[in-house]
Every structure is written in structure tokens, then in C-alpha cells.
Amino acid sequence: MSPDSGIKWRNPLFVWGGKRDVEELPTIPFRSHQEVWEKTRQSKTKLIPVGRLRYYYKWPGHGRTMWNRLRYWPTRRRVLRVRGEYNPKTLRAEKTIVDKRPIWWVLGLLALAIAPLFTPGDLQNTLLTAGATFGIYSAISLCWMLIMGTAGVFSLATYAVVGTAAFVTALLAIKISLPWWLLPPIGALVGLVFGGIIALPATRLDGFYYALLTLGLNELCRVYFVTSKEFGSANGGLYGATTYVPEDWSQLGQLLLAYYACFGLMLLALLLYRFVNGRRLGRILRMAPEKREAFAEATGVNFRQARVWVFLISSTALGFIGGFYTSNFGGVAFSIFNFDTVLLGLAMLVIGGVGRAEGAVVGTLIVVFFDQVLNTWGPARFIIIGLIMLLVVLYLRNGLFGIKAQFRAWRDKKKSERRSTRAEKGGEMLPEEATETDDKSIIYQRRYDKMTRDHLKTLVSPEIIEEHRHSLNGQHSEALERLLIYFRTRPQVEKYAIMAVERFEGYRIVALSGHRGVAPRVVEDRIYSTPDEACHGVFMRRVQDLLES
Amino acid sequence: MDIWFIVSNTIVLACIYGTLAIGISITWSSLGLLNLSYGFIFAFAGYGAWMFAQYVSAWGPAVLAAGILAGALGGVIICAVGFIPIHDKPNFTIRGLIATLAINLIGTQFLLWWFGPRSKSLPEIFGNWSVSLPGAVFTADKVGNVVTSVLMLAVVLRWMQSSRRGLEIRAMMMNPHAASIVGIGVRRTSFYVMGITGGLAGLAAVLLSQTYYISPFGGLMPMIKGVSIALCGGLGSVRGAVIAAIVLGLNEALTGMSIGGRYVLITQFVVIIVILLVRPRGIAGLLDKAREA
């Protein structure tokens, strides 16, 4: 707005003849604050939700107590992790089930337990055999998960342990005709010895070095067993061991017995996983993941010893499974040492997610389904499993069960991206701040302040500044008056004030601290010769602050 | 006579396994990727050479070149599928290991599906002559193997010493982060690295197929030997890989001579475990801290 716009403000006090009064001053046309209000309300910017939602279902609270803690009897462990709290808005008691995994576990295991009742007749043979295989392989996966997930040692010799135990027990069962119930304990002994042997290098090596070494160990076992005569190099395996499945039962009965026996083995493995991973040993080991061993050691964790313990425990369990394998199938084939078996086993862990029991079980279920149920597909089924494994590794951070965490991380990233696309904040609260403020009136106060400032910014013009320089006190034009009223209502903190350096000669501008006993801060070096000049200087600074806000 | 036989066997095995091990070492130290899909690259290169010999020309050097090129192509494929998508994602090292294993599974099963389980044999690349020296007879394939692999390694090492791409790769080996800051793109360099190491694997595949055959799973044993040599020599060290290749080649020749081929892997792992128990990072391995910088 140029000074020639012709709009004048008439000083109503002029007729009284004040010393510095002028009759007319150029000013700017009236501008309604309604414009800013409308503009804010009618904003057509695409608003993308960035706040926080409640992702948990809130169960209603109940009568006397806030929540009941159901505990497993003699332990202090709770059945479900339930958090009780009062809703700050409605003041009602609410319960949140923080960890729903126990519920899913119970449902899943129940489904597996009753699954044989619902298998279609023509697929019964295939499905029950696959189910038994699934039980054994998921037990192996769970023990392997203890080594790979809990202990964090990338071992590939798992199937070597299982296979060795299975071959040794099969040989013993055939040579000295051991009963079937002795095979698992003997297998456990073999596993313990084998575990001790492979734990030896694990004390010195980690990561890749160990992975490569165990890969080689697996191959070593394969070559040894395949070429040795006593282990049946002629007929591709060792068969004829005693088995717990009675021969005089019907075929369905045999299948069901094998299915439930393998299911029981899986439950035992789950129990072992729970007892190692969820208790002291597992906690110690999770404190010392790879690359943080030094830290763990500094805090007094003897992670080497803990790793050796996990090795021995899970190798013993793997040996037990090997013995069970023999007594289930009545023998064992060399294919257990195949590189592809190791790869499929690794696929089971990786697809589900390393470090989780549910990952091991569900991953095994997926792999066994493709491997056993679709066994007419030939090499294509391995290609499918490999593709699933590859896609999971390429696109998921920690398998299928890591999707939730990964999705949340992605969503948080998106939210922060959207937040940063909002270039103008102007002191207003952002949505995610607003949802976390208890005093909601602050939100509206800040928003009102923002709109006020937006309006006042449109009033700042050379005419107004000139008018203020000319007459500090007395009557002002409407626009200047609005600005001044706004400036006067600012809080005390950082408010500008004038300090007399030397009375009637030197004045400078300071900013008040707003706190008792804390001296004001000098904001500029300039010294004004009169109070009026200093006053106009304060006005200019405030105008600048307003325009910059 | 025995001495010469052991020495010549040692040299031949050391040359072939060393070629593979050096490829694995270079991949690991420059890309941080432990490529466990060498079994697939190996078989892929073997089948590439076989198809070339079958349909184009059975002339030895051309078949050799076809094998090397097929290996390089396999390396580039693995780089594109298994390295590029995850090299900047969290937990890359373990995921890279698993991804290459998955590619190995898919690739070998695909080869099995396409070419069938019967193994193929390549024509005699180096002819059928032999040289008799006092005390030893050197057959064509042995001499050819040694000469070719030494030549190829010399060319690759010379290329890495003197060319601009080689300089980039060596910079990545020293410090990948700093290399990327000064403009050595990880992705572009990774294609060169994987191409070169795949070519080395292809060479080893063609050379080994002179004594063994080409089959979908035939790459497994050479890969395990190459990996264990790289491990024993110290991942990331070319010098260590050469030393380890000689040590393990000697071990293999001695075991094969004295107690029988069955026990080769057993003695080999005993040697490796003993070496690794004494030096956990291999014979000439870098300390982890030196690489992380």
C-alpha cells in the first residue's frame, strides 16, 4: 500500500490542539479479521491423519477390583498380561490385554489337537503323515531356534546332530535289538556328546565363521555316513529299528498314534523352549546378542558359558528327537544330511521369524505343507519354498511374525514424513501433540493466537509504522491500535522494555526475563537518545517478531 | 614318485579351490556379503559351458570362456536379486546369507527341473597329451588347470591393482562407508565384484568338470571347500586364502594318499578347527574392528 492511496485517518483530538498532533495521517484501508477466520476454516489443504489411534480393544472394567490377576499355580507368572487403567475422558475402568499371544497359542494348539477329526477321508493318509512329520520337524525347529534365536549363534549343524543320533540309535536298535523306548534317551546321550564337540569351536568363533564351519560339519557327517558300510551305504539308509507303533493296529489307528505322539513331542519342545528362552538362561543370552558381547560381559554376564549351556541343552534335545525319529519311522535315510534338508530347515525358521517359538512352528507348518502335502509337484515345490524364503528375507525384517513391528515402524515413518510436510506451524499444536495434551483449551488458545497473528500481519505497512513513529501515544488509527493492543497483551517472558542508561540521554532496549531476580537481557547495542525513539524501536522489534512468527 | 604325486595333486587342488576361495573372500570383504549361492553359480556355469559345447563349439578355450561368462552372468543375477534389494536394510549380513542360500535352493532345483538329474560331461578342454619328467607324469588337464587358474588369478589381481574399477573395489574392501562418500557407488561396484567372482567360480567349475561331472548339486562340495578355505585363510584376505588353499590342498592330497578319500573331509575339518581355535579370524584374517571402521 503506497502512501498515495489516499486513505486518511483523521485525528479526532486535533481540535484540542495537542503539541505534536496532526490533523490527518495516511493509513491503510480496513481489512476484516473475518478474512483470516474464513481462510483458516475453509482451508482446502489435503489433511492426512497423523495422530495416534487406539489400536487395542478396551475391555470394560469390572466391579470391585480394577483387574484380577490369574496366576499359574505355584509360580507368580500371570496367565494373561492385562493392564487396568481409567479412561481419562470417560473416567471408566478399562482393561487392555497387552499380550494376546497365549490366547492364539491355546487356539492354535487346540486346532492341531482336533485336526485329525476333520481331515477329509481321501487325504487322511497324506495329511496325517504330514502332521506327524510336522510334529517332529517343528520340535527340531524349536530346538534350533534356541541356538539361533536365543543364543544368537548361527549354527547349521542341527540336522547333523539329529541325523547322527538317529543313525546311531537305529544301528543299536538293529544290532542289539533295543526296545523303542530306549532309543530317545540314547539319542539324547549321543546328542549331548555331539553338542559338546560342536560347542568347542563355538566358544571361540561367532557369526559367519561358525555358520560356515557347521555347514561343513553337516557335509562331513553326510559323507561319513553315506560312505560307511555299517550304516547302510548300500540301501540309502538304515531301516528295521523297533517302533512304538503296534503292527496289529488298523492303518488309521497307527497314523493317529504317530500323529499324537509327534504332537506330544512338539509340546515337549515348546515346554523346553519356554523354560530356556523365558527364564534366566534365555534372558542372559538375549542380553548378549552378537556384537554386544563386550557390553554384556562388562555387566557381569558370562555369555560364553550361557551359550555352551544352550548348546548342550538343545543338542541333547535334538539327540532325543533323533532317537524318537528312529522309533517313529523305524529307521532313518541319508537325506536327513542333505544340504536341501538344512536349507528347508532354515527356511522354516526364517519364514516364521528368528527368535520366536510361534515363528518356528508356523514356518515349519508352511514348509511341511509344501514339502509333504504337495509332493506330486516335484522340484517345483522346493522352488516355491525357496521363493517364499527369498521374498521373506528380502522384504520382511524378521519373518512373518515380524510384520506387525515392521508395519508399525513403517507407519511411524510415514507419520513423521507427513508431519514434516506441514511447513507452517506458527505455534499451533500439531495433531499428535494435541491428542496428548490434557488441557484442550490450550489448543484453541494457540489456534486463536495464530489466526490473530495472521490477521495482524496483514496490517503492518509503512503508513502504520510512520504513524507510530509520529505519535506514540494518544489516538491511533484502527490498524495501529489493533497491533498495539496485541503487543501489550503479550506475556511477561521475553517482553521488551526500555532501560535508562543515563537519564534524558541514553536509553536501550532490553528483554525481561519474566522471573524474579533474573536480570533482563540486553537485546541490541544501539543506544537511543530519547524515550520516544526507544519506544519506537521496541515497536519495530515487535513488528519484526510478529512478521517472523 | 609319491612326493611328486602329492605335490602335483596339492598344486592342482590348491589352484582350483583357491580360485573359488579368493572369489568368496573378495565378495565378503568388499560387499560384506557371504555368498553361499556359489553352489548354484558353479552348476550354472557348468551347464552354460556344456550348452556352449553342445550347441556352438566344442573348441576348448571357447568352452572355457563360455563357462567363465556364464559364471559372471550368474554372479550378476545373484547381485541383482540377492544383494541390491537388501544391502542397505537392517541386519544385512544374516539376511544376505539367508537370501543367497535361498537363491541356491531355487537355482539348483530349477537346474534339476530343467536339465534333469543326469550329470553331463564337458569335452577335453586341454587336449589329451602328457609330459613325462623324471619322477612324475603331468597330464594335460593338470597342467592346463594349474596354468589357467594361475593365469586367471594373475589377470584378476593385476586388474584389481591397476584399473580404475579395481581401485574402486579395493577402496570398498578397505572402507565401504568412506568409499561411498567419495563417490564409489555400492550398487555399481557390487555388479563388478559379483561379475568377477562369478567368473572365477565359472572357471573353477569348468576346470573341476575335467575330473568330475556337471550336475545340479555338483557345486555344493566345491562351495563348501571354497568357503572353508576362505574361512581358514581369513575372510577378506587374498593372501590368507592362497596359504589356506595350499595347506588344505596338501592335507587333501596326503589324506587321499595315506588313509583314503573317505576321510578327506574329516581331516580337513580337524585341521580347520585347530587353525580356527588358534586364530579365530583365520590365518591372515582382519580383525572385525578393522573392517567396521
Side-chain angles (χ1 to χ4, degrees):
Chain A
M1 191 66 59
S2 70
D4 305 329
S5 60
I7 297 170
K8 302 281 185 188
W9 168 72
R10 287 186 60 85
N11 185 354
L13 299 182
F14 180 68
V15 292
W16 298 99
K19 201 171 80 186
R20 288 167 54 189
D21 282 356
V22 282
E23 189 176 5
E24 282 183 335
L25 280 173
T27 186
I28 53 168
F30 173 71
R31 195 167 286 172
S32 171
H33 52 265
Q34 198 72 20
E35 284 169 22
V36 173
W37 170 251
E38 302 286 342
K39 224 175 83 192
T40 311
R41 300 273 317 269
Q42 290 175 356
S43 167
K44 290 288 176 286
T45 319
K46 192 182 164 203
L47 288 178
I48 310 164
V50 291
R52 275 187 203 163
L53 297 171
R54 293 261 182 215
Y55 298 107
Y56 288 106
Y57 177 75
K58 299 288 179 180
W59 306 80
H62 39 87
R64 265 183 321 129
T65 49
M66 183 73 187
W67 67 89
N68 281 317
R69 283 196 181 127
L70 198 61
R71 297 181 191 272
Y72 288 113
W73 178 71
T75 69
R76 288 172 48 77
R77 209 174 275 280
R78 270 187 271 165
V79 173
L80 267 184
R81 241 184 95 204
V82 178
R83 191 174 61 204
E85 65 211 345
Y86 286 100
N87 185 328
K89 273 189 196 158
T90 62
L91 296 183
R92 265 189 226 118
E94 283 174 346
K95 285 186 295 182
T96 312
I97 301 178
V98 182
D99 189 359
K100 293 204 190 77
R101 279 180 299 176
I103 301 175
W104 293 116
W105 269 113
V106 168
L107 288 179
L109 291 177
L110 270 180
L112 281 177
I114 60 169
L117 305 178
F118 297 98
T119 47
D122 49 339
L123 281 175
Q124 211 157 34
N125 203 343
T126 320
L127 285 180
L128 285 180
T129 315
T133 319
F134 160 71
I136 291 178
Y137 277 83
S138 59
I140 296 175
S141 296
L142 284 165
C143 295
W144 193 354
M145 199 66 103
L146 281 179
I147 300 177
M148 235 168 84
T150 308
V153 179
F154 206 90
S155 162
L156 295 174
T158 306
Y159 282 88
V161 180
V162 177
T164 309
F167 268 103
V168 170
T169 51
L171 185 72
L172 288 177
I174 293 166
K175 289 272 181 224
I176 55 175
S177 56
L178 285 177
W180 63 265
W181 49 267
L182 260 181
L183 299 186
I186 290 175
L189 268 181
V190 175
L192 182 64
V193 174
F194 202 112
I197 293 170
I198 59 173
L200 192 68
T203 54
R204 294 275 286 168
L205 303 176
D206 53 3
F208 288 151
Y209 291 83
Y210 194 71
L212 298 182
L213 194 71
T214 48
L215 185 67
L217 279 175
N218 190 67
E219 192 62 12
L220 167 70
C221 287
R222 186 179 72 85
V223 172
Y224 179 75
F225 282 105
V226 166
T227 51
S228 63
K229 267 201 202 80
E230 59 269 30
F231 287 107
S233 58
N235 44 11
L238 207 53
Y239 291 99
T242 49
T243 164
Y244 62 87
V245 185
E247 284 186 13
D248 49 347
W249 283 25
S250 69
Q251 197 202 6
L252 181 61
Q254 286 181 351
L255 285 174
L256 281 176
L257 178 65
Y259 179 86
Y260 282 111
C262 296
F263 184 62
L265 182 74
M266 185 182 97
L267 291 183
L268 283 181
L270 277 173
L271 211 63
L272 179 78
Y273 188 89
R274 185 83 185 76
F275 269 83
V276 174
N277 187 56
R279 297 180 74 84
R280 188 163 181 272
L281 193 55
R283 281 159 202 236
I284 282 176
L285 283 167
R286 267 174 288 144
M287 190 164 169
E290 207 181 329
K291 309 241 171 200
R292 274 178 53 197
E293 284 110 342
F295 170 73
E297 209 162 12
T299 54
V301 169
N302 189 350
F303 69 94
R304 281 175 212 278
Q305 195 192 32
R307 274 186 193 168
V308 170
W309 265 111
V310 169
F311 248 102
L312 294 182
I313 292 173
S314 56
S315 298
T316 311
L318 285 170
F320 184 90
I321 297 168
F324 182 85
Y325 189 98
T326 305
S327 65
N328 183 56
F329 293 108
V332 57
F334 291 131
S335 63
I336 198 162
F337 294 118
N338 272 359
F339 190 55
D340 282 347
T341 314
V342 177
L343 279 185
L344 289 186
L346 193 62
M348 293 172 193
L349 305 194
V350 169
I351 288 174
V354 175
R356 299 155 184 273
E358 62 265 36
V361 173
V362 173
T364 312
L365 192 66
I366 293 171
V367 172
V368 167
F369 175 77
F370 280 107
D371 188 25
Q372 302 271 320
V373 180
L374 307 177
N375 51 8
T376 50
W377 292 18
R381 66 189 202 276
F382 290 110
I383 295 179
I384 292 173
I385 294 172
L387 280 177
I388 296 176
M389 185 178 170
L390 186 63
L391 291 177
V392 163
V393 171
L394 292 190
Y395 295 108
L396 300 180
R397 266 182 221 167
N398 195 11
L400 294 178
F401 285 93
I403 287 182
K404 197 171 167 188
Q406 194 180 348
F407 170 71
R408 292 196 167 172
W410 173 82
R411 192 181 57 195
D412 286 347
K413 194 185 86 181
K414 284 286 162 201
K415 278 201 289 198
S416 82
E417 278 173 14
R418 285 171 185 169
R419 221 172 276 152
S420 60
T421 57
R422 287 192 54 167
E424 186 195 33
K425 188 188 171 201
E428 257 194 291
M429 272 196 183
L430 291 177
E432 66 274 13
E433 252 177 300
T435 52
E436 282 169 16
T437 308
D438 287 331
D439 187 356
K440 304 296 180 200
S441 69
I442 294 173
I443 305 168
Y444 294 97
Q445 194 186 340
R446 291 211 194 163
R447 166 157 263 219
Y448 175 75
D449 190 47
K450 165 94 169 25
M451 288 198 300
T452 311
R453 278 181 282 122
D454 283 350
H455 174 56
L456 291 180
K457 277 180 200 171
T458 64
L459 302 184
V460 175
S461 66
E463 292 91 341
I464 298 299
I465 291 167
E466 186 55 32
E467 184 190 338
H468 184 268
R469 200 179 59 76
H470 201 266
S471 56
L472 296 170
N473 302 311
Q475 293 282 323
H476 293 122
S477 70
E478 191 260 354
L480 181 58
E481 200 64 36
R482 278 181 189 276
L483 276 173
L484 289 175
I485 288 172
Y486 179 77
F487 291 152
R488 282 174 200 141
T489 56
R490 290 303 80 204
Q492 197 76 355
V493 181
E494 284 290 297
K495 197 171 190 174
Y496 293 115
I498 297 167
M499 190 174 77
V501 185
E502 197 174 340
R503 190 158 290 185
F504 306 120
E505 282 187 17
Y507 300 89
R508 72 192 315 175
I509 300 175
V510 293
L512 299 177
S513 69
H515 300 287
R516 272 178 88 97
V518 180
R521 173 174 65 86
V522 177
V523 293
E524 59 178 23
D525 290 337
R526 190 168 162 196
I527 295 195
Y528 300 90
S529 53
T530 64
D532 284 3
E533 269 179 41
C535 200
H536 186 65
V538 167
F539 177 75
M540 290 307 288
R541 290 195 77 84
R542 282 185 177 157
V543 166
Q544 186 161 4
D545 289 354
L546 172 72
L547 290 179
E548 280 174 1
S549 75
Chain B
M1 170 66 199
D2 273 349
I3 301 284
W4 277 112
F5 187 73
I6 289 172
V7 168
S8 66
N9 262 4
T10 304
I11 291 172
V12 170
L13 291 169
C15 283
I16 296 174
Y17 294 147
T19 313
L20 262 176
I22 285 170
I24 289 167
S25 257
I26 290 175
T27 319
W28 190 81
S29 58
S30 58
L31 307 184
L33 174 76
L34 193 68
N35 190 353
L36 284 188
S37 50
Y38 269 108
F40 164 63
I41 299 182
F42 200 84
F44 185 79
Y47 276 105
W50 176 77
M51 281 180 59
F52 187 85
Q54 207 72 9
Y55 298 110
V56 185
S57 153
W59 185 55
V63 173
L64 193 65
I68 292 171
L69 282 180
L73 177 67
V76 168
I77 290 172
I78 282 160
C79 183
V81 177
F83 177 75
I84 297 293
I86 50 169
H87 73 94
D88 51 353
K89 301 244 174 84
N91 213 354
F92 159 68
T93 40
I94 292 293
R95 280 166 78 182
L97 182 79
I98 297 169
T100 49
L101 279 174
I103 294 172
N104 192 59
L105 177 68
I106 298 171
T108 49
Q109 291 290 339
F110 186 78
L111 289 177
L112 174 69
W113 185 47
W114 195 260
F115 291 102
R118 280 188 58 184
S119 49
K120 317 273 192 240
S121 60
L122 282 182
E124 297 271 347
I125 289 176
F126 304 110
N128 214 351
W129 44 270
S130 62
V131 179
S132 294
L133 285 181
V137 180
F138 294 102
T139 52
D141 59 325
K142 280 187 182 176
V143 176
N145 279 354
V146 173
V147 169
T148 325
S149 50
V150 167
L151 208 65
M152 177 88 179
L153 272 183
V155 168
V156 167
L157 292 180
R158 178 80 195 143
W159 178 80
M160 284 196 37
Q161 289 286 323
S162 57
S163 75
R164 187 152 192 91
R165 303 282 162 256
L167 184 69
E168 288 179 2
I169 294 174
R170 281 184 295 134
M172 287 253 301
M173 284 167 83
M174 278 183 198
N175 192 332
H177 190 73
S180 70
I181 287 173
V182 297
I184 297 172
V186 174
R187 294 172 188 226
R188 201 187 53 188
T189 316
S190 71
F191 278 108
Y192 291 115
V193 171
M194 294 294 279
I196 289 291
T197 55
L200 287 175
L203 174 78
V206 177
L207 294 185
L208 261 189
S209 68
Q210 297 298 301
T211 18
Y212 302 100
Y213 297 101
I214 298 164
S215 65
F217 305 106
L220 178 63
M221 195 52 112
M223 178 185 88
I224 284 177
K225 287 196 174 157
V227 161
S228 43
I229 287 167
L231 177 70
C232 186
L235 282 173
S237 157
V238 174
R239 196 163 49 98
V242 171
I243 298 171
I246 293 169
V247 169
L248 294 179
L250 182 66
N251 171 62
E252 185 163 341
L254 277 177
T255 313
M257 276 291 295
S258 53
I259 48 178
R262 257 182 81 178
Y263 299 99
V264 165
L265 269 177
I266 298 179
T267 54
Q268 188 173 351
F269 276 99
V270 170
V271 170
I272 292 176
I273 288 174
V274 168
I275 290 176
L276 286 182
L277 284 179
V278 179
R279 288 186 64 91
R281 287 288 174 265
I283 294 171
L286 299 168
L287 283 176
D288 273 1
K289 285 199 182 82
R291 216 198 97 78
E292 267 171 25

